[in-house]
Amino acid sequence: MFTHSDLSRLQAQSLKMQGFIRQQTYSPESEKTLRRFSSWEVSELILKVNQSTLRGRLAADPSLPQGVVEEDGRQRWYSLEEINELRRRLRIGKRSLTPPRPANKRAIRAAIANFKGGAGKSTVALHFAHAAALDGYRVLAIDFDPQATLSHSMGLSDVAEEYTVWGIMARDLATETERMNTAARGAESGTALPQRLLPQAITEMGLAGLRANDFIRQTNWPTIDIVPSCANAAFVEFASAQYRHLNPEWSFFAAVSRFLDALPPDAYDIILFDCPPAIGYQSMNAVFAADVLYIPSGPGYWEYDSTTSFIGQLSEALEDLTRFNGLVPAGTLSLPKVFLDLRFLLTRFEPGNELHRAMQQAFVKVFGERVAQHPIEMTRAVEQSGRFLSSIYEIDYRDMTRETWRRARASFDRAYDEFRGNLTTAWDQLEDEA
Ligand SMILES: Nc1ncnc2c1ncn2[C@@H]1O[C@H](COP(=O)(O)OP(=O)(O)O)[C@@H](O)[C@H]1O
Ligand SMILES: [Mg+2]
């Protein structure tokens, strides 16, 4: 027979060995680095300019980044920093190579959410982040999932739980409670409101002293940062329930939104959330902070079924938040939550599969325009690259048949182009920064 103390003993054993196990499975030299991109990729797939035009421009101006020649041949290979410098300095015809960003707006935020595990959320989040970075955008990713797939894929495996979304929430609880206490002290005398006390376990963590930037880490991509997650953050749901009890008026769902509001509006262009496979405190924070909601779903009937119950439960959870109306200072957040766009995105789609096509038609019949036009196709290349915790953009096309790589990449490129179109439309509708 076993009780909680047996589990605790097993965990203590495991913690003692954690460092050792990690060493055995991760070699220190396996630190993730970003490859260079060939002149073929740079001209045709990234900057989308004629290859000979680009070659001509580079030859005419030796001060432009010139990449390096690798052993295997004549092509030049460019780092992402070099590609971004080319973007800034080159104009082709009258065309600027920098991607569109509306003036006077903060970064646009998109949540990739569904509560079905395996729907393809992390794969979509990773690929959209990489596609956006290759497109010239500065990206911030937030990993809300304690399974930490996105964090691992972005090269972060050594993360302390205080520096995850949980830390952001606990810090928000501390600062919001302090704000409420100050307001209560300042209230008209005679109506002295009770002070809310937080347990030392929270105040002593010193989270209130951290700055927003302390939660942000660099990744193996120079223009992608991340608020990572880690397995230890799995207790967040449990802890958050206790926190709400400590201060029932704390708008727990707005912690990450407030965190992002504190960043300089032009620090990033696109902010992407990878959500956990559940509706809970963390996913509510993701959804509440998002301007745009992308809901990936597999192409099977049971996935349609669970996507249906996801939107039902999400709807109820969001409606439930409206009872916070009046509890938060006017102007800091508005309820009900409004999304600027909402799309369903079919993933792991096989165009040759009759059942998948029938399911796609059903999705369109039910959800109409809300279904993204370009599904993410199921490909061996993505399955394989996923096993190495890499995106198809990171994999060198010389490591597989070029056609296989090309087809997988093309599917994500189409989905990303559509995503970017939807984002820029939503971006224009964002309120101007003061
Ligand atoms: N388009 C795809 N083609 C092939 N395999 C995919 C594709 N999308 C996702 N997968 C694989 O399916 C599994 C689950 O995907 P993942 O993105 O982790 O789902 P979620 O984050 O929703 O749980 C992963 O092993 C991933 O590599
Ligand atoms: Mg995931």
Side-chain angles (χ1 to χ4, degrees), residues 85 113 183 198 234 270 284 287 313 339 371 384 410 416:
E85 187 179 340
L198 295 180
I270 297 177
M284 286 313 284
V287 160
Q313 290 190 28
F339 298 103
V371 183
Q384 268 178 33
Y416 167 74

Short mmCIF file of all heavy atoms in Angstrom, two decimals, residues 85 113 183 198 234 270 284 287 313 339 371 384 410 416:
data_model
loop_
_atom_site.label_atom_id
_atom_site.label_comp_id
_atom_site.label_asym_id
_atom_site.label_seq_id
_atom_site.Cartn_x
_atom_site.Cartn_y
_atom_site.Cartn_z
N GLU A 85 20.16 42.10 -41.75
CA GLU A 85 20.87 43.31 -42.20
C GLU A 85 20.55 43.58 -43.68
O GLU A 85 20.32 44.73 -44.07
CB GLU A 85 22.38 43.16 -41.99
CG GLU A 85 23.11 44.48 -42.29
CD GLU A 85 24.63 44.41 -42.07
OE1 GLU A 85 25.09 43.51 -41.34
OE2 GLU A 85 25.32 45.27 -42.65
N ALA A 113 -4.40 27.66 -29.05
CA ALA A 113 -5.04 26.97 -27.92
C ALA A 113 -6.04 25.91 -28.36
O ALA A 113 -6.75 26.06 -29.36
CB ALA A 113 -5.76 28.00 -27.04
N ALA A 183 -5.02 50.99 -1.82
CA ALA A 183 -6.29 51.65 -2.15
C ALA A 183 -7.23 51.59 -0.95
O ALA A 183 -7.92 52.57 -0.63
CB ALA A 183 -6.93 50.99 -3.36
N LEU A 198 -0.78 38.13 2.54
CA LEU A 198 -0.28 36.97 1.80
C LEU A 198 0.67 36.21 2.70
O LEU A 198 1.37 36.78 3.51
CB LEU A 198 0.46 37.44 0.54
CG LEU A 198 -0.38 38.15 -0.52
CD1 LEU A 198 0.50 38.55 -1.69
CD2 LEU A 198 -1.53 37.27 -0.99
N ALA A 234 4.18 22.38 -13.18
CA ALA A 234 2.92 21.65 -13.29
C ALA A 234 2.00 21.92 -12.10
O ALA A 234 0.80 21.75 -12.19
CB ALA A 234 3.18 20.15 -13.42
N ILE A 270 5.62 40.28 -32.78
CA ILE A 270 4.60 39.25 -32.63
C ILE A 270 4.86 38.47 -31.35
O ILE A 270 5.99 38.08 -31.06
CB ILE A 270 4.63 38.29 -33.85
CG1 ILE A 270 4.27 39.07 -35.13
CG2 ILE A 270 3.68 37.12 -33.65
CD1 ILE A 270 4.33 38.25 -36.40
N MET A 284 -6.27 30.38 -19.21
CA MET A 284 -7.11 31.58 -19.16
C MET A 284 -6.25 32.83 -19.27
O MET A 284 -6.65 33.82 -19.88
CB MET A 284 -7.95 31.62 -17.88
CG MET A 284 -9.10 30.63 -17.86
SD MET A 284 -10.10 30.62 -19.37
CE MET A 284 -11.06 32.12 -19.14
N VAL A 287 -5.33 33.08 -23.03
CA VAL A 287 -6.46 33.49 -23.85
C VAL A 287 -6.83 34.95 -23.56
O VAL A 287 -7.10 35.73 -24.46
CB VAL A 287 -7.64 32.52 -23.57
CG1 VAL A 287 -8.95 33.12 -23.97
CG2 VAL A 287 -7.39 31.19 -24.27
N GLN A 313 -16.50 25.12 -23.39
CA GLN A 313 -15.96 25.37 -22.05
C GLN A 313 -15.25 26.71 -21.97
O GLN A 313 -15.31 27.40 -20.96
CB GLN A 313 -15.00 24.25 -21.66
CG GLN A 313 -15.74 22.95 -21.40
CD GLN A 313 -14.83 21.90 -20.78
OE1 GLN A 313 -13.87 22.23 -20.08
NE2 GLN A 313 -15.13 20.64 -21.05
N PHE A 339 -11.87 39.30 -28.80
CA PHE A 339 -10.80 38.87 -29.70
C PHE A 339 -10.95 39.60 -31.03
O PHE A 339 -12.06 39.82 -31.50
CB PHE A 339 -10.86 37.36 -29.96
CG PHE A 339 -10.69 36.54 -28.72
CD1 PHE A 339 -11.77 35.95 -28.10
CD2 PHE A 339 -9.42 36.37 -28.16
CE1 PHE A 339 -11.62 35.21 -26.94
CE2 PHE A 339 -9.25 35.64 -27.00
CZ PHE A 339 -10.36 35.05 -26.39
N VAL A 371 -12.63 29.03 -40.45
CA VAL A 371 -11.65 27.96 -40.69
C VAL A 371 -10.54 28.50 -41.59
O VAL A 371 -10.81 29.04 -42.67
CB VAL A 371 -12.30 26.74 -41.38
CG1 VAL A 371 -11.29 25.61 -41.55
CG2 VAL A 371 -13.51 26.26 -40.59
N GLN A 384 9.71 13.76 -38.34
CA GLN A 384 11.13 13.50 -38.05
C GLN A 384 11.80 14.68 -37.36
O GLN A 384 12.49 14.51 -36.37
CB GLN A 384 11.87 13.24 -39.37
CG GLN A 384 11.93 11.79 -39.76
CD GLN A 384 12.64 11.64 -41.09
OE1 GLN A 384 13.54 12.41 -41.42
NE2 GLN A 384 12.22 10.66 -41.87
N ALA A 410 6.58 24.11 -47.44
CA ALA A 410 5.56 24.85 -48.20
C ALA A 410 4.23 24.86 -47.44
O ALA A 410 3.51 25.87 -47.43
CB ALA A 410 5.39 24.24 -49.58
N TYR A 416 1.41 30.01 -42.57
CA TYR A 416 1.98 31.21 -41.94
C TYR A 416 1.58 32.47 -42.70
O TYR A 416 1.23 33.47 -42.08
CB TYR A 416 3.51 31.11 -41.83
CG TYR A 416 4.09 32.47 -41.47
CD1 TYR A 416 3.97 32.98 -40.18
CD2 TYR A 416 4.69 33.28 -42.45
CE1 TYR A 416 4.44 34.25 -39.86
CE2 TYR A 416 5.17 34.55 -42.13
CZ TYR A 416 5.04 35.03 -40.84
OH TYR A 416 5.49 36.29 -40.53
#
